[in-house]
Amino acid sequence: MTRPLSPERWAFEITHLLNAVFGADRFPIDIPAVAREYTAQQFPDDPIISVQGDSLPGFDGALFKAPAGRKGWGIIYNNRISSKGRINFTLAHEFGHFLLHRAAYPNGFRCGEQDVVRWDSEYGQVEHQANVFAANFLMPLDDFRRQIPERDKVDLDMIAHCADRYRVSLIAATLRWLSYTQKRAVLGRVDEPAQGGFPRGG
């Protein structure tokens, strides 16, 4: 039996493919297009067929099974979210659920802040895995290191450049940098709530 891929490995596999097709300077990622095309190729009997915004009171995003009689899955993000960075992370997070968890959770997911903070629960760990996938997918470590080498002295303008490059929030870009830097970090206050290690905040 094939061992399931980790969140990091899924992100690496797709990153490698995108680099081969589009080259290294291909950011930000068009998540809806990648999710639909990749899953149509890899999972033709069970692909992602829809990515769209809708009213989701109390939730950032959702992954849901298509109605009876149709094959595939849909991703919905809360269209009241104004931050493009938060939307982007939400879409990548739900794509991660599709790749990692759809077999174990055939009814899909509705994801909001109340879910990702329950670290002691199985569901909290599942949410964390989707966040890890999203961070690695949106901000591949090799490319991030080219933008900010690990020994460089860093300021907020450099982090902001990465946030713009990957279309993520400042705090998501900061956390990604902190995951590999060898420098002590004092960047000043960022007024955004952390969610599950890699936030969807914008």
Side-chain angles (χ1 to χ4, degrees):
M1 183 175 178
T2 303
R3 184 178 180 182
L5 296 182
S6 68
E8 295 90 346
R9 188 66 192 180
W10 269 119
F12 175 81
E13 293 287 336
I14 300 173
T15 294
H16 182 72
L17 179 62
L18 293 177
N19 286 346
V21 174
F22 298 110
D25 196 19
R26 55 176 176 76
F27 299 96
I29 296 170
D30 183 343
I31 299 170
V34 171
R36 287 191 297 260
E37 181 64 25
Y38 182 79
T39 61
Q41 295 293 324
Q42 296 296 319
F43 312 103
D45 294 326
D46 201 31
I48 291 172
I49 58 175
S50 174
V51 181
Q52 62 187 33
D54 206 342
S55 177
L56 288 176
F59 298 98
D60 285 352
L63 175 73
F64 65 94
K65 188 73 174 168
R70 297 187 64 191
K71 67 179 182 179
W73 294 76
I75 291 174
I76 296 178
Y77 66 90
N78 187 338
N79 60 13
R80 294 191 176 187
I81 297 174
S82 59
S83 165
K84 291 182 179 179
R86 185 173 174 185
I87 290 171
N88 227 31
F89 206 95
T90 295
L91 294 176
H93 176 98
E94 301 304 334
F95 185 25
H97 277 319
F98 172 88
L99 295 169
L100 293 158
H101 307 128
R102 71 187 187 282
Y105 294 85
N107 294 323
F109 293 84
R110 290 188 178 185
C111 301
E113 290 183 34
Q114 70 276 15
D115 296 320
V116 297
V117 297
R118 295 202 304 263
W119 289 99
D120 59 339
S121 68
E122 177 186 347
Y123 199 77
Q125 292 301 307
V126 164
E127 287 292 284
H128 174 67
Q129 290 168 10
N131 278 343
V132 170
F133 167 81
N136 282 274
F137 173 55
L138 294 171
M139 302 174 281
L141 200 54
D142 58 343
D143 189 80
F144 207 111
R145 281 179 166 146
R146 283 193 290 270
Q147 309 309 308
I148 306 179
E150 60 190 272
R151 294 184 181 275
D152 275 14
K153 184 177 181 180
V154 177
D155 59 31
L156 277 175
D157 286 341
M158 297 168 72
I159 299 292
H161 159 74
C162 290
D164 289 342
R165 178 175 178 81
Y166 305 118
R167 196 175 292 153
V168 299
S169 67
L170 266 176
I171 196 168
T174 300
L175 289 169
R176 191 62 168 150
W177 170 65
L178 288 172
S179 72
Y180 70 85
T181 184
Q182 297 185 20
K183 304 291 270 187
R184 290 188 179 183
V186 180
L187 292 175
R189 190 177 70 176
V190 179
D191 291 322
E192 299 178 37
Q195 298 178 16
F198 290 101
R200 291 193 286 282

